[in-house]
């Protein structure tokens, strides 16, 4: 799998693509359409609320709720739920601008991983736009903590994820995933990792009318320290890979791709969101870096005077797979 679409220019889709499935929380059928969008527009959700169209920007300023999944909302009460795996696929494949039209309030859960979204994006095709990609470059470390969990955003010439989890159940235990991220690595190492849950929790949620669409078709379920899905796991350490997939999607709510290394210990959506919000609230901690529209090799050899930020961006653009 080549990485030709990780470059200095912004991307969108070549054409629209439709996906259908069920909402993991509503259990209701839902259809989404990913549409091409203009440069600098970012990822936006188009939902119908009270009979009119409302756009909700995929940005951490619009996070409404993180209890069971990531819910984004607008001032007028419109909401879109379970955006995290779609956001992960878009960021993972370096897609900057897409309008996501959604007919029923929740992104479908599909198989619980990001792979169905990856396939849909690849089916639509990826188009380069005539605008430089804009990164958020981390200038100083940001650390957040919560109940023995922590997350750190560190300056880095690229985009790297280091996630560690530690569960009591021997079905998961202690697992760590560390890797630089680019579309090839995302697709091969993370995209297929499914969400997971514990049967004891699921039964409680069902009783409360939540997680109505959750099933063994879209969740790795653990009961009495055993994975009960008949097909077993897709990776021996599928759990931590899914946590890394979630982190890619949660960090995408910064609104622009990051030049950073993100480390987390026992993290989840809430911790990841807190890290991004803390970063963006500290204007000394980051800056925007545009990537000039020249090939990385030219940048490296002939523009040395233009600074480390530019080299960092070029480094990120290099095909490392
Ligand atoms: Zn997830």
């Amino acid at each position: 799998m080549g990485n030709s679409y990780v470059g200095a220019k912004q991307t969108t889709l070549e054409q629209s693509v439709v996906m259908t499935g069920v909402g993991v929380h509503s259990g209701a059928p839902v259809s989404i359409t990913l549409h091409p969008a203009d440069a600098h527009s970012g990822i936006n959700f188009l939902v119908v609320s009270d009979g009119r169209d409302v756009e909700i920007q995929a940005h951490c300023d619009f996070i409404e709720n993180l209890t069971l999944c990531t819910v984004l909302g607008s001032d007028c009460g419109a909401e879109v739920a379970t955006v995290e795996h779609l956001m992960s696929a878009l960021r993972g494949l370096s897609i900057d601008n897409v309008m996501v039209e959604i007919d029923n309030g929740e992104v479908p859960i599909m198989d619980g991983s990001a792979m169905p979204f990856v396939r849909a994006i690849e089916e639509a095709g990826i188009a380069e736009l005539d605008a430089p990609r804009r990164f958020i470059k981390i200038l100083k470390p940001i650390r957040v903590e919560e109940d023995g969990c922590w997350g750190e955003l560190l300056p880095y010439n690229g985009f790297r994820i280091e996630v560690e989890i530690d569960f009591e159940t021997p079905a998961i235990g202690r697992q760590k995933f560390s890797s630089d991220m680019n579309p090839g690595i995302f697709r091969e190492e993370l995209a297929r990792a499914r969400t997971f849950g514990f049967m004891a929790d699921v039964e409680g949620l069902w009783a409360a009318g939540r997680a109505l669409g959750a099933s063994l078709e879209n969740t790795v379920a653990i009961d009495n320290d055993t994975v009960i899905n008949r097909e077993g796991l897709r990776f021996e350490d599928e759990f931590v890979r899914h946590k890394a997939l979630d982190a890619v999607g949660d960090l995408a709510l910064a609104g622009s791709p990051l030049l950073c290394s993100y480390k987390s210990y026992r993290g989840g959506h809430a911790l990841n969101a807190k890290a991004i919000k803390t970063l963006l609230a500290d204007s000394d901690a980051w800056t925007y870096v545009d990537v000039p529209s020249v090939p990385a090799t030219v940048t490296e050899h002939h523009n040395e005077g233009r600074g480390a930020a530019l080299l960092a961006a070029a480094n990120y653009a290099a095909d490392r797979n």
Side-chain angles (χ1 to χ4, degrees), residues 30-154:
V30 54
S31 153
I32 62 169
T33 309
L34 311 181
H35 296 288
D38 293 339
H40 303 293
S41 61
I43 309 298
N44 291 277
F45 292 89
L46 180 64
V47 301
V48 177
S49 174
D50 289 337
R52 60 191 187 93
D53 290 346
V54 179
E55 273 187 39
I56 305 173
Q57 198 188 341
H59 191 278
C60 58
D61 286 350
F62 301 102
I63 294 173
E64 293 239 309
N65 188 316
L66 293 159
T67 318
L68 295 171
C69 62
T70 304
V71 180
L72 301 175
S74 74
D75 294 343
C76 67
E79 282 188 349
V80 56
T82 323
V83 302
E84 56 265 30
H85 303 156
L86 170 62
M87 289 305 299
S88 183
L90 290 168
R91 182 74 277 136
L93 296 188
S94 281
I95 314 299
D96 301 291
N97 306 289
V98 172
M99 175 64 79
V100 184
E101 187 182 349
I102 184 161
D103 74 352
N104 205 354
E106 188 177 5
V107 176
I109 189 64
M110 309 311 288
D111 70 351
S113 80
M115 202 58 188
F117 302 111
V118 166
R119 292 210 185 91
I121 291 163
E122 290 177 344
E123 185 192 319
I126 297 164
E128 201 174 73
L129 296 165
D130 191 19
R133 177 168 279 141
R134 192 176 64 162
F135 293 86
I136 290 175
K137 179 181 167 63
I138 312 287
L139 301 174
K140 68 176 193 188
I142 292 288
R143 182 181 169 95
V144 292
E145 299 181 19
E146 216 168 66
D147 305 330
C149 316
W150 55 262
E152 284 180 346
L153 287 160
L154 304 168

Side-chain angles (χ1 to χ4, degrees), residues 286-300:
W286 61 279
T287 187
Y288 282 122
V289 182
D290 271 15
V291 182
S293 306
V294 290
T297 46
V298 173
T299 304
E300 281 169 7

Side-chain angles (χ1 to χ4, degrees), residues 2-294:
N3 295 320
S4 54
Y5 39 88
V6 184
K9 290 191 171 180
Q10 293 184 31
T11 56
T12 187
L13 303 178
E14 276 179 10
Q15 56 185 344
S16 298
V17 60
V18 181
M19 303 179 72
T20 55
V22 297
V24 70
H25 294 299
S26 64
V30 54
S31 153
I32 62 169
T33 309
L34 311 181
H35 296 288
D38 293 339
H40 303 293
S41 61
I43 309 298
N44 291 277
F45 292 89
L46 180 64
V47 301
V48 177
S49 174
D50 289 337
R52 60 191 187 93
D53 290 346
V54 179
E55 273 187 39
I56 305 173
Q57 198 188 341
H59 191 278
C60 58
D61 286 350
F62 301 102
I63 294 173
E64 293 239 309
N65 188 316
L66 293 159
T67 318
L68 295 171
C69 62
T70 304
V71 180
L72 301 175
S74 74
D75 294 343
C76 67
E79 282 188 349
V80 56
T82 323
V83 302
E84 56 265 30
H85 303 156
L86 170 62
M87 289 305 299
S88 183
L90 290 168
R91 182 74 277 136
L93 296 188
S94 281
I95 314 299
D96 301 291
N97 306 289
V98 172
M99 175 64 79
V100 184
E101 187 182 349
I102 184 161
D103 74 352
N104 205 354
E106 188 177 5
V107 176
I109 189 64
M110 309 311 288
D111 70 351
S113 80
M115 202 58 188
F117 302 111
V118 166
R119 292 210 185 91
I121 291 163
E122 290 177 344
E123 185 192 319
I126 297 164
E128 201 174 73
L129 296 165
D130 191 19
R133 177 168 279 141
R134 192 176 64 162
F135 293 86
I136 290 175
K137 179 181 167 63
I138 312 287
L139 301 174
K140 68 176 193 188
I142 292 288
R143 182 181 169 95
V144 292
E145 299 181 19
E146 216 168 66
D147 305 330
C149 316
W150 55 262
E152 284 180 346
L153 287 160
L154 304 168
Y156 188 67
N157 288 342
F159 181 47
R160 183 174 177 81
I161 294 282
E162 298 189 13
V163 171
E164 185 169 3
I165 56 174
D166 194 357
F167 281 82
E168 225 166 83
T169 173
I172 303 178
R174 195 166 186 143
Q175 301 186 352
K176 187 166 183 177
F177 177 88
S178 306
S179 178
D180 281 20
M181 231 2 89
N182 65 31
I185 292 173
F186 178 82
R187 195 183 195 287
E188 297 309 314
E189 306 293 337
L190 298 187
R192 291 191 306 123
R194 292 162 296 172
T195 194
F196 58 95
F198 297 89
M199 276 316 289
D201 297 341
V202 172
E203 282 160 1
L205 289 167
W206 281 341
R210 308 299 303 273
L212 298 175
S215 74
L216 295 176
E217 305 289 307
N218 55 42
T219 307
V220 176
I222 295 163
D223 197 22
N224 292 322
D225 297 331
T226 307
V227 170
I228 61 172
N229 303 58
R230 245 197 300 172
E231 75 281 8
L233 295 174
R234 293 179 175 178
F235 300 94
E236 204 180 325
D237 57 354
E238 186 168 0
F239 305 101
V240 74
R241 286 174 192 254
H242 185 80
K243 286 287 190 176
L245 181 164
D246 277 342
V248 171
D250 293 341
L251 297 189
L253 295 178
S256 296
L258 296 161
L259 291 173
C260 76
S261 171
Y262 182 63
K263 299 183 183 187
S264 77
Y265 177 68
R266 299 182 62 214
H269 295 306
L271 188 85
N272 299 338
K274 191 173 174 181
I276 286 298
K277 286 183 170 193
T278 305
L279 170 76
L280 295 182
D282 183 350
S283 58
D284 293 338
W286 61 279
T287 187
Y288 282 122
V289 182
D290 271 15
V291 182
S293 306
V294 290

